[in-house]
Amino acid sequence: MQSIRYILLAALCVAATADAAGGKGMTWTKRSHDSTLGIDSVNCNGGAPDGCNPYQGDMSCKAILPVLCVKNDGSPRPPYTATPGEFYDGWLGGHLSATLPIYGDALRSRATGDQLCSTSFGSGWRMAEFHDNPSGGWGFRGYGNLRSNQHFWVAINDQPGNCWNR
């Protein structure tokens, strides 16, 4: 718990001096939860008023939001029906969780997000990435039950829609 407090304190200090003024980062939201299977569906556009934007970001890096974290542990795919298809709604092969909220400006690199996830939840946890759906992108499902009314910081590895790209 002490190390989590240290990371959050460090993140707040970095946010106070970050130079991403006006910058934006990409966020995702929870689309649905299946209580029978114990899985959530998260995606780029689910619930975001203007949709998410992996190319330029959709949320000010001054916003304070949780980081979406994943642990790919090879969990078998439960029997859900992907809508509209696996390309946009594939199986993560693991679990989802979210950190305590942090300033987007504190995400100075993908490694910062990965470290926050592993410190918060343990070995094997890392920051979620746009392409974590092995069939495509834009969304996936995994075991978990995230807050429904929350946006989450998510990384993208092949576009500049991250706060650290500012």
Side-chain angles (χ1 to χ4, degrees):
M1 190 66 175
Q2 183 71 9
S3 60
I4 292 173
R5 280 187 226 146
Y6 174 77
I7 287 177
L8 292 175
L9 180 59
L12 292 173
C13 291
V14 170
T17 60
D19 60 0
K24 292 184 177 183
M26 182 183 66
T27 64
W28 281 23
T29 55
K30 175 178 165 178
R31 186 174 69 180
S32 64
H33 177 73
D34 183 322
S35 59
T36 303
L37 300 174
I39 62 173
D40 277 351
S41 173
V42 294
N43 69 12
C44 189
N45 291 310
D50 300 320
C52 89
N53 188 329
Y55 310 107
Q56 298 176 338
D58 54 88
M59 183 72 67
S60 168
C61 293
K62 301 292 183 201
I64 303 172
L65 302 172
V67 172
L68 182 62
C69 300
V70 298
K71 182 175 185 178
N72 299 88
D73 58 13
S75 298
R77 184 189 186 282
Y80 69 88
T81 301
T83 315
E86 290 292 324
F87 187 83
Y88 300 107
D89 196 19
W91 178 242
L92 170 67
H95 295 79
L96 308 170
S97 196
T99 67
L100 294 173
I102 66 163
Y103 282 99
D105 282 340
L107 293 169
R108 304 296 274 173
S109 68
R110 171 75 186 272
T112 304
D114 290 345
Q115 180 63 45
L116 182 59
C117 290
S118 67
T119 300
S120 297
F121 304 113
S123 178
W125 285 89
R126 62 172 175 74
M127 185 176 188
E129 200 276 327
F130 183 92
H131 302 95
D132 275 331
N133 170 357
S135 301
W138 299 92
F140 53 82
R141 295 189 196 210
Y143 287 109
N145 191 6
L146 301 165
R147 285 184 48 183
S148 295
N149 61 344
Q150 185 72 62
H151 285 255
F152 308 97
W153 297 118
V154 174
I156 185 161
N157 65 14
D158 62 354
Q159 297 297 327
N162 304 292
C163 286
W164 57 83
N165 293 124
R166 307 292 147 228

